[in-house]
Amino acid sequence: MIEVSDIVKSYSIGGQALKAVDHASFTVQQGEIISVIGHSGSGKTTLLSLVGGLTKPDSGKVIVDGTDIWSLDDNSRSHFRNRNMSFIYQFSSLIPTLTSLENILLPTAFGDFPGDVRAYAEELIERVGLKEKTNAYPSHLSGGQQRRIAIARAFINRPSVVLADEPTGDLDEEAEQDIIRLFSEMNSALKTTFIIVTHNKEIAGQAARQLSMSNGILTGAA
Amino acid sequence: MKKIKISWLALKNLKRKFIRTFVLLLLVAVVTGTLLSATIFISGMQNALRIGTYRLGADVLVVPEKNESQAKAALLSGEPTSFYMDGKVYDKVKDVEGVKRASTQLFIKPTSFTCCYNVETFLVAFDPSTDFTVTPWLQKKLKKPLADDEVIAGSAMPLMTDDIIPFFGTPFNVAGTLEPTGMKFFDQSIFMTMQAAFEMAEKSKGRSVQPLELEKGKISAVLVQVEDGFTPERVAIRIEHQIEGIKAIASDEVTSTVRKQLAGLLKGILLISAILWVLALLMTGFSFYMIVNERQRELGLLRAMGATKAHVFRLIITEAVILSLAGGIAGIVAGGGLLSVSKTVITQNLKLPYLLPSLPVLSELAAGALIFAVITGLLASLLPAVFASRMEPYDAIRKGE
Ligand SMILES: Nc1ncnc2c1ncn2[C@@H]1O[C@H](COP(=O)(O)OP(=O)(O)OP(=O)(O)O)[C@@H](O)[C@H]1O
Ligand SMILES: [Mg+2]
């Protein structure tokens, strides 16, 4: 479960304070899929980064599975991310010198991963339908395939929360559908919570709940 | 591969910009190699000087006054020379206060007809009964006293025990060889008894195309060991004061000129090495700053995956260590190879004593060079690594856009 209460993040641009996220509060139940929509620059990525512990809020609290993540020190927060969270970005986030499989295993470099991680990575690669690309390098994958590998990587730590920032941006409709299907599969299999930032109305509509952001102000939160 | 290791990731990262990695590696290799060969070179000369003065064994060398510079040249660079003075000088030197031991030597410069080797040979006759400078450095003790048809060969002479070599028409049997000293005076000389030298000269009149003129009773030098409590300088002054027409050279005086030359050389080499090192440090540091800068987003993503600041720091540092380790090893191999190839060129052209350090010392120097290379890599990547680890993950991911 995610409980966000009254978080604020502002930047000063040319001496002027810009509230990227302005007193946002919301709660997401475990296993819920919610979407965040909003115009460019409305503060969606900033919000995800605050929830994911990547950038510090000026004020407010983020509690993930009972842990107040911004009360942790940087090390503990990193470990917390490593164990409980994953991020999916719109841009290619694979390391070019690593194969698909190695990219999926990347998070294992930073924490304890009990069990046969390699077998699990192979299972994930099958799940995203790219078994034949196991040993391929990112430069030999299409944009959609790269995204699917990044998604497979997001599940290697069996996260309780996945934060996805426009995961289907610049993909064609078919690839988009694949990814949506994958998310709902993972969601039902692992009870993973999803917060998906998207411009795409269709994806947003498929989510259980929809938040919208405008000039840093979040609406639609229950 | 089960889990991914940071060192493995670092290695993969180095493959990314292959040319840059290669150039950096080459840079580290060149600096390490240069530094190593410079230290080996310097320690080789110091080695030779230390052993050389010691090997010379004499505290004072008494030679004819007008032949001082020739004598020094003979001792330092082993340039064959010949000059003579009256053998009575020996008896006078022996009686000077402070002289503990004295022994005579006779320097003979062989003509090109006498020997068939291209190494410059210097014939030195000595007196085995009073000698204290030559025989102590025999590789193996002679089974019996040196006979008048026998010689002892310096280490650089292409001779082995029981070889036969003619001088001025007289064949000699090689009775023993000396250990390498780094002093050409020893290494490129053939030693024989005084008696043998005079007999050889006598016979050369009938046997040799260019006979050897050698007057019985003449000597070239008297080697002196001073008593405890006397400095070589003081005894040298005393000898010069009491005997006419001679020059008494204290051994310190011989090596001090070399030491001065060496100090100058040392300064030069040190300066060049220091400049090279600073340059390498700056270039490597700058490259790592660029590497970190280019990979900001990726490093931010690693942080998002749960990498701690320490993980990021270690990743960058490990890349630098791998790079400098590989460069260092390449430099040591290349430097060592170059040095061993050019060893003969160095020893032949350098007008200074030179003795390659022993294998344990060499490996110590190589290990030192490697540690030095790694420390350089560490230093160069330290600031970039700190910078990389301190970035806020979200900032890093954004900046990569
Ligand atoms: N590190 C930063 N420094 C300064 N301003 C920032 C920073 N991060 C975000 N902003 C500003 O905060 C606002 C919100 O940015 P954010 O990236 O969260 O928007 P977004 O909704 O994700 O937009 P998009 O749909 O284009 O991705 C923008 O006006 C942006 O310029
Ligand atoms: Mg955004």
Side-chain angles (χ1 to χ4, degrees):
Chain A
M1 192 169 87
I2 301 169
E3 298 161 84
V4 174
S5 49
D6 215 25
I7 46 169
V8 177
K9 179 75 182 181
S10 52
Y11 297 103
S12 76
I13 296 167
Q16 268 198 306
L18 173 115
K19 288 206 163 139
V21 173
D22 194 356
H23 297 279
S25 302
F26 63 96
T27 307
V28 188
Q29 299 301 326
Q30 188 60 46
E32 214 182 345
I33 300 179
I34 68 162
S35 70
V36 182
I37 57 164
H39 291 296
S40 178
S42 59
K44 305 179 298 292
T45 301
T46 307
L47 183 72
L48 275 198
S49 305
L50 290 165
V51 173
L54 301 180
T55 188
K56 193 173 170 58
D58 302 339
S59 63
K61 265 188 186 175
V62 177
I63 296 169
V64 180
D65 298 337
T67 304
D68 180 353
I69 61 166
W70 285 105
S71 72
L72 299 173
D73 62 25
D74 194 90
N75 252 353
S76 313
R77 194 164 41 250
S78 300
H79 289 312
F80 188 83
R81 276 198 299 271
N82 189 248
R83 275 194 308 273
N84 306 298
M85 296 179 153
S86 279
F87 298 82
I88 298 164
Y89 289 96
Q90 176 182 356
F91 51 81
S92 170
S93 58
L94 304 182
I95 291 189
T97 44
L98 304 186
T99 64
S100 301
L101 186 71
E102 290 162 353
N103 263 294
I104 292 172
L105 284 165
L106 200 51
T108 65
F110 311 117
D112 293 326
F113 281 71
D116 191 348
V117 279
R118 198 197 155 102
Y120 186 49
E122 280 166 350
E123 185 190 321
L124 286 170
I125 217 168
E126 247 185 281
R127 265 250 171 88
V128 298
L130 289 173
K131 191 174 183 213
E132 75 282 3
K133 301 284 185 192
T134 301
N135 296 312
Y137 286 92
S139 56
H140 295 127
L141 301 177
S142 73
Q145 289 171 332
Q146 288 185 32
R147 199 71 50 81
R148 271 141 76 188
I149 295 297
I151 289 167
R153 179 177 65 197
F155 291 104
I156 189 77
N157 60 343
R158 298 179 165 89
S160 84
V161 182
V162 169
L163 304 167
D165 197 350
E166 300 180 36
T168 61
D170 66 54
L171 290 186
D172 62 34
E173 214 154 301
E174 203 181 322
E176 217 173 82
Q177 292 304 326
D178 279 351
I179 286 169
I180 295 166
R181 205 174 316 118
L182 210 70
F183 280 6
S184 54
E185 265 176 45
M186 287 298 185
N187 170 257
S188 40
L190 297 166
K191 243 181 163 312
T192 309
T193 307
F194 283 82
I195 301 180
I196 308 167
V197 167
T198 181
H199 282 151
N200 186 301
K201 287 254 159 47
E202 195 196 337
I203 300 176
Q206 289 204 357
R209 227 148 32 98
Q210 188 176 319
L211 306 177
S212 85
M213 271 207 105
S214 172
N215 291 322
I217 296 169
L218 187 74
T219 51
Chain B
M1 172 197 60
K2 218 173 161 212
K3 265 180 58 176
I4 285 193
K5 290 211 168 66
I6 291 194
S7 49
W8 178 85
L9 196 59
L11 197 65
K12 287 277 177 182
N13 277 339
L14 281 171
K15 285 190 185 162
R16 198 172 299 189
K17 294 233 163 154
F18 185 73
I19 295 195
R20 177 170 61 196
T21 303
F22 185 74
V23 168
L24 278 178
L25 201 133
L26 212 66
L27 185 73
V28 176
V30 166
V31 173
T32 314
T34 310
L35 248 53
L36 180 66
S37 3
T39 22
I40 290 178
F41 184 68
I42 289 168
S43 76
M45 286 200 289
Q46 282 176 333
N47 217 7
L49 267 188
R50 190 168 42 76
I51 295 180
T53 357
Y54 177 52
R55 292 253 153 127
L56 194 57
D59 299 319
V60 180
L61 185 73
V62 182
V63 294
E65 195 170 29
K66 56 183 186 300
N67 300 110
E68 181 189 350
S69 56
Q70 275 164 277
K72 281 185 177 172
L75 286 176
L76 282 182
S77 47
E79 262 168 51
T81 182
S82 52
F83 45 77
Y84 305 106
M85 59 184 180
D86 198 324
K88 286 193 191 101
V89 172
Y90 169 70
D91 301 308
K92 291 182 193 161
V93 168
K94 221 169 46 177
D95 294 336
V96 173
E97 196 192 347
V99 173
K100 186 180 174 189
R101 283 204 272 190
S103 183
T104 56
Q105 284 190 356
L106 191 61
F107 302 155
I108 302 161
K109 186 178 176 176
T111 58
S112 46
F113 292 100
T114 53
C115 182
C116 31
Y117 303 108
N118 41 16
V119 181
E120 280 195 319
T121 318
F122 190 13
L123 289 180
V124 177
F126 70 110
D127 180 356
S129 62
T130 55
D131 172 68
F132 58 93
T133 63
V134 179
T135 38
W137 310 114
L138 276 166
Q139 271 179 327
K140 264 188 256 164
K141 273 212 153 58
L142 299 181
K143 290 190 190 83
K144 52 187 176 53
L146 193 68
D148 293 340
D149 61 347
E150 288 177 334
V151 291
I152 294 170
S155 68
M157 300 306 297
L159 291 170
M160 287 195 305
T161 307
D162 294 334
D163 278 354
I164 289 174
I165 179 173
F167 289 105
F168 295 97
T170 306
F172 287 93
N173 202 27
V174 178
T177 52
L178 296 183
E179 280 176 37
T181 64
M183 303 277 279
K184 287 187 186 173
F185 176 72
F186 283 103
D187 294 349
Q188 296 187 7
S189 291
I190 297 282
F191 296 90
M192 60 178 71
T193 66
M194 286 283 186
Q195 189 54 39
F198 288 120
E199 276 175 20
M200 176 179 74
E202 200 56 42
K203 287 177 192 158
S204 76
K205 282 167 191 150
R207 291 181 185 171
S208 185
V209 187
Q210 269 183 300
L212 175 66
E213 299 291 343
L214 205 61
E215 229 182 288
K216 190 123 189 166
K218 292 276 180 186
I219 56 171
S220 299
V222 181
L223 287 86
V224 173
Q225 190 176 34
V226 301
E227 271 174 38
D228 289 344
F230 286 83
T231 64
E233 289 77 15
R234 244 180 79 201
V235 176
I237 290 169
R238 238 176 242 266
I239 293 171
E240 276 183 18
H241 191 74
Q242 292 182 17
I243 308 167
E244 286 214 349
I246 55 98
K247 172 74 192 172
I249 307 165
S251 63
D252 291 0
E253 204 185 316
V254 179
T255 46
S256 75
T257 34
V258 184
R259 272 183 216 287
K260 259 182 227 145
Q261 274 174 282
L262 195 64
L265 201 67
L266 203 86
K267 259 186 216 154
I269 291 174
L270 229 62
L271 190 74
I272 292 169
S273 303
I275 291 171
L276 208 64
W277 182 68
V278 170
L279 224 63
L281 192 68
L282 287 178
M283 269 184 73
T284 318
F286 182 69
S287 302
F288 269 88
Y289 179 75
M290 274 180 18
I291 286 172
V292 165
N293 220 28
E294 282 163 17
R295 282 202 227 135
Q296 271 194 56
R297 166 175 281 178
E298 194 180 293
L299 293 170
L301 288 170
L302 295 184
R303 296 290 324 266
M305 282 173 216
T308 61
K309 287 180 177 176
H311 283 136
V312 171
F313 182 82
R314 237 169 61 203
L315 180 67
I316 304 296
I317 292 283
T318 309
E319 280 183 42
V321 168
I322 293 173
L323 190 84
S324 47
L325 207 63
I329 289 170
I332 286 165
V333 170
L338 211 69
L339 211 69
S340 63
V341 166
S342 59
K343 191 186 162 238
T344 38
V345 180
I346 292 176
T347 38
Q348 270 168 21
N349 293 338
L350 195 73
K351 290 278 177 217
L352 288 170
Y354 183 79
L355 187 68
L356 199 69
S358 63
L359 208 63
V361 174
L362 278 180
S363 31
E364 247 171 62
L365 289 176
L370 196 59
I371 291 170
F372 192 71
V374 171
I375 288 175
T376 307
L378 277 175
L379 276 180
S381 61
L382 197 64
L383 278 179
V386 167
F387 167 74
S389 66
R390 290 215 179 142
M391 292 187 298
E392 188 184 61
Y394 173 57
D395 253 359
I397 294 169
R398 260 181 69 92
K399 289 238 178 72
E401 276 168 27

